[in-house]
Amino acid sequence: QVQLAESGGGLVQAGGSLRLSCAASGSINIVNVMGWYRQPPGKQRELVATISWNNVKVYADSVKGRFTISRGNPKNTVYLQMNSLELEDTAVYYCNYRLGTSPPTWGQGTQVTVSS
């Protein structure tokens, strides 16, 4: 079983930056994909960015050029650097761990609020 611990959310003004962290623990398989999803108020959960075990990155169009996903050392930690934050980035951000076709593991979520 895998556990995810997220941190780094908060309140920031538009144009500002935040960095989210997600540390995975437990029965980690290094051949995994980790990433971030978000759920804006009143909307469905959506992809933000993912990073594979071999550093292949995928970004939602809405965050390309503003957000950067990366892995730490050891590679069971994933970061999301968010720059030039916009009001539309306000959401609960969830860390995600996937291994093959197994059901994904989700973190508890961290709130990001962007104010004008």
Side-chain angles (χ1 to χ4, degrees):
Q1 193 172 2
V2 173
Q3 295 81 41
L4 301 174
E6 302 146 333
S7 61
L11 174 64
V12 64
Q13 286 191 322
S17 299
L18 281 175
R19 189 175 85 152
L20 304 183
S21 301
C22 175
S25 61
S27 302
I28 304 296
N29 187 311
I30 62 170
V31 186
N32 62 59
V33 177
M34 292 184 69
W36 292 92
Y37 290 70
R38 68 186 181 187
Q39 188 163 13
K43 297 184 179 180
Q44 291 188 332
R45 193 172 298 188
E46 62 186 21
L47 168 73
V48 177
T50 62
I51 183 168
S52 70
W53 64 276
N54 57 349
N55 214 39
V56 174
K57 303 176 184 181
V58 174
Y59 292 97
D61 288 344
S62 59
V63 307
K64 283 180 182 176
R66 300 188 298 121
F67 291 10
T68 302
I69 191 169
S70 61
R71 285 190 185 255
N73 189 12
K75 292 189 174 182
N76 58 324
T77 300
V78 174
Y79 303 101
L80 184 69
Q81 178 66 42
M82 305 186 293
N83 299 329
S84 301
L85 283 160
E86 303 170 352
L87 297 180
E88 293 73 21
D89 296 318
T90 294
V92 178
Y93 284 70
Y94 295 91
C95 182
N96 174 278
Y97 170 97
R98 287 188 291 117
L99 179 63
T101 58
S102 299
T105 298
W106 294 94
Q108 80 281 2
T110 184
Q111 177 71 46
V112 171
T113 302
V114 183
S115 65
S116 59

